[in-house]
Amino acid sequence: RPRTATVAAEYSFGEKQWLVVTAQLTGEPNAYRILSFNVERLSAPLSQMHAFTLSGKSAIHYLFLFAAVAAVLVSLFAFVRCTRTKGLRRKWLWLLFIAFGFVSFTINWSSGAVRINPLAFNLLSAAVMRNGWVGPWMLTFCIPVGAIWFLLRQRGAAQTMPTSQDQERSHV
């Protein structure tokens, strides 16, 4: 089977001109053919264009950043709370359910493009990834369904448990 590879290189001319050259190759080693070849002018180096900065970002960027941090914190809080809960039946299943978030929401930090994947799941309900060394950063958060369900269940159980004063009154 022939292999297919995409190769990209960035070139700078002086201090204000940058090009990115991409080629898609196919074939066997030492016998590649060029399927496509593209030269694109850039306004800045790729490392600068795809840097993870907070300046000049929209409200959607900040919403995604807040949601990702909140999803991780809720998942961690529920995970620790579950490990400390005594007498919980099937604790290992709860821990597994809490550890993953479902339905991913991803933003391309450079362009602001948003993608929703209803069939995805992430460990601790969030992820940060980058394609290559100079690719755009992708920030993902998931809904921590297991963590939220566990915390609501624990809250409901705490409200229905009798307090020590109620127990003293019932014994008198």
Side-chain angles (χ1 to χ4, degrees):
R1 278 183 130 169
R3 296 180 183 177
T4 302
T6 302
V7 180
E10 180 182 70
Y11 296 98
S12 66
F13 299 98
E15 293 183 24
K16 295 189 178 189
Q17 294 180 347
W18 294 272
L19 296 174
V20 66
V21 178
T22 56
Q24 189 173 22
L25 310 172
T26 188
E28 298 295 325
N30 299 326
Y32 282 113
R33 290 188 339 225
I34 298 173
L35 290 178
S36 65
F37 187 81
N38 187 36
V39 178
E40 186 178 344
R41 191 176 198 159
L42 301 174
S43 59
L46 287 171
S47 61
Q48 187 178 359
M49 290 173 62
H50 297 309
F52 192 87
T53 63
L54 296 177
S55 63
K57 299 301 178 190
S58 70
I60 297 294
H61 286 86
Y62 290 107
L63 177 68
F64 267 76
L65 185 59
F66 174 78
V69 170
V72 169
L73 292 176
V74 166
S75 295
L76 285 173
F77 178 73
F79 194 85
V80 169
R81 188 113 183 242
C82 183
T83 58
R84 292 183 170 185
T85 301
K86 298 197 186 307
L88 181 64
R89 291 183 52 192
R90 297 185 192 101
K91 186 184 285 193
W92 68 275
L93 278 174
W94 273 110
L95 290 170
L96 189 62
F97 191 32
I98 290 168
F100 290 95
F102 301 93
V103 183
S104 73
F105 300 85
T106 304
I107 188 168
N108 179 320
W109 199 257
S110 299
S111 68
V114 173
R115 185 179 68 223
I116 300 170
N117 187 349
L119 300 177
F121 58 92
N122 278 43
L123 185 63
L124 293 181
S125 302
V128 178
M129 61 201 121
R130 187 175 197 178
N131 295 327
W133 293 99
V134 291
W137 287 96
M138 308 297 262
L139 180 64
T140 300
F141 73 91
C142 294
I143 302 169
V145 177
I148 293 169
W149 189 359
F150 176 78
L151 293 173
L152 289 174
R153 189 171 177 260
Q154 291 294 74
R155 182 178 177 207
Q159 288 177 350
T160 58
M161 289 182 68
T163 63
S164 59
Q165 291 176 351
D166 292 338
Q167 289 175 351
E168 288 176 13
R169 287 183 199 146
S170 66
H171 291 303
V172 175

